[in-house]
Amino acid sequence: MTARLRKNRKKRGHVTAGHGRVGKHRKHAAGRGNAGGMHHHRILMDKYHPGYFGKVGIRHFHYKKNQHHVPVVNIDKLWSLVSEQTRKAYTDRKDGKAPVIDVTRAGYFKVLGKGALPKIPVIVKAKFFSEKAEAKIKAAGGVCVLTA
């Protein structure tokens, strides 16, 4: 914005430029930023930001993310891990052979039980299975194989 359009132009010649005489216009009277949250701004902090101060929970000092890394896949997505032609080949098979779906090769560690599984026997290899997933795979005539 150009200088000639600023509000300050109207205040030229008036001593206090609209900031009063007694209290005076000071730079940062209440402190900068979040200053005074535990002191003179306590009411505001308690009203609009409850729980802002203090700690909660338990500290885990040397947290190793690798040990908690468990990518999951639901059983409704299991057949998307193998090719379409594999799925078609095993759909009407009567000789008892079942396809092996190794979810760890696809980057998943755990199989969860959301969704439905087609009634095609399948061998699923994973590090972990939920109870629901195991029950649904077995109900479809499949097997759950735990890998290291």
Side-chain angles (χ1 to χ4, degrees):
M1 186 188 281
T2 54
R4 66 187 180 78
L5 298 173
R6 289 187 190 275
K7 212 179 246 184
N8 186 46
R9 300 310 305 161
K10 283 209 187 307
K11 295 177 181 163
R12 286 292 185 203
H14 301 277
V15 176
T16 54
H19 290 300
R21 195 176 275 285
V22 179
K24 298 183 192 66
H25 178 61
R26 295 282 157 89
K27 292 273 200 266
H28 296 278
R32 292 182 186 228
N34 287 339
M38 292 184 115
H39 307 284
H40 55 284
H41 291 154
R42 162 80 52 96
I43 288 169
L44 177 135
M45 293 303 284
D46 288 349
K47 184 175 182 182
Y48 296 110
H49 309 283
Y52 180 80
F53 295 107
K55 299 175 181 177
V56 69
I58 301 162
R59 294 176 65 194
H60 190 306
F61 290 109
H62 188 55
Y63 185 81
K64 296 186 275 299
K65 285 188 177 175
N66 263 3
Q67 294 174 358
H68 298 274
H69 179 71
V70 184
V72 297
V73 63
N74 282 300
I75 59 167
D76 57 359
K77 296 273 184 281
L78 269 185
W79 280 100
S80 67
L81 302 179
V82 292
S83 65
E84 186 67 26
Q85 63 193 45
T86 307
R87 191 177 68 79
K88 283 180 180 165
Y90 284 97
T91 303
D92 302 319
R93 206 116 187 218
K94 295 286 185 266
D95 61 354
K97 285 192 176 178
V100 177
I101 300 176
D102 191 353
V103 297
T104 47
R105 278 183 60 200
Y108 300 106
F109 287 2
K110 186 169 184 174
V111 180
L112 301 180
K114 180 183 156 227
L117 201 59
K119 294 281 183 219
I120 306 166
V122 63
I123 300 163
V124 185
K125 289 184 172 184
K127 292 185 178 191
F128 309 101
F129 290 92
S130 71
E131 283 182 29
K132 267 188 182 175
E134 198 168 353
K136 287 182 182 182
I137 291 167
K138 286 178 179 171
V143 181
C144 298
V145 180
L146 290 170
T147 57

